Amino acid sequence: KGEIRITADGDVKVKEIVAPAGTVNITSRFGSLINGGSSPFFTANVANLTAAKDIGSARDDYDVKVTHLTLNVGGSFYVESFADLETLNVVSKQAGNVKPNTYLLKGPKPVKGQPPAFEFNVKDAGTNYMITRVSDVTGLNFSFQGDETIQVGVINVGAKSVSLTSTLGQITD
């Protein structure tokens, strides 16, 4: 078990963390979280990732092997999970930033010939969030909190829970 906590004012680049039964908290107060190792470069039961800017990048996503994941981001995120997620919490702080951001979360690779077990299609259009599709055939506790209007499409997480919160906007379909 145990807890690993890393906090910095600037960018945080982590090469490898292995805490399979533990909790990992990585925070960049004013920068980004950058992939610094091979895939997956960190393993834990719980990961709480916080960045004032981005988590990962378009050319090098942030690779994790966790079952409970929280992403708290002020910009874009590019994350690949190598484990079946049981819990996914996304907190986005974008108000006043009309620049669209990218939200890319890939799940484990599907079995050949089978559809993906996990799908995450959420976009930040600059003035609102669009949840086009979030689904997980094994079940997922999913929460999304943003500070703009949230447009909801399909959310299918099995018999698990869903929570949507817009702190400065509305929730529409």
Side-chain angles (χ1 to χ4, degrees):
K1 294 205 172 217
E3 181 176 358
I4 296 170
R5 183 176 301 274
I6 299 170
T7 301
D9 288 338
D11 292 344
V12 177
K13 185 175 187 178
V14 176
K15 185 172 183 177
E16 182 178 29
I17 295 174
V18 179
T23 298
V24 175
N25 298 293
I26 303 176
T27 301
S28 172
R29 288 190 195 112
F30 305 108
S32 297
L33 303 184
I34 300 168
N35 189 349
S38 59
S39 300
F41 74 92
F42 86 70
T43 302
N45 181 41
V46 177
N48 301 305
L49 307 177
T50 302
K53 294 181 181 175
D54 301 330
I55 298 174
S57 69
R59 53 179 204 277
D60 195 10
D61 46 25
Y62 207 79
D63 300 330
V64 299
K65 187 175 182 182
V66 300
T67 52
H68 304 279
L69 178 62
T70 297
L71 303 170
N72 190 329
V73 65
S76 296
F77 66 78
Y78 305 84
V79 176
E80 183 168 4
S81 174
F82 288 81
D84 181 28
L85 290 172
E86 294 176 23
T87 304
L88 173 62
N89 303 307
V90 177
V91 178
S92 178
K93 298 176 184 134
Q94 305 294 328
N97 177 7
V98 295
K99 175 190 121 204
N101 289 291
T102 300
Y103 297 159
L104 176 65
L105 177 58
K106 298 185 235 175
K109 303 267 188 265
V111 176
K112 188 174 182 177
Q114 299 291 317
F118 175 79
E119 292 181 79
F120 184 85
N121 188 345
V122 178
K123 294 185 178 15
D124 168 24
T127 57
N128 66 312
Y129 305 102
M130 295 181 293
I131 299 176
T132 305
R133 182 173 192 81
V134 175
S135 66
D136 189 323
V137 298
T138 62
L140 177 70
N141 293 308
F142 173 66
S143 73
F144 185 92
Q145 177 181 321
D147 53 6
E148 299 172 339
T149 293
I150 301 171
Q151 293 179 303
V152 181
V154 174
I155 299 177
N156 181 1
V157 294
K160 301 286 182 142
S161 66
V162 174
S163 172
L164 302 175
T165 304
S166 176
T167 58
L168 294 176
Q170 305 170 26
I171 299 174
T172 64
D173 60 1

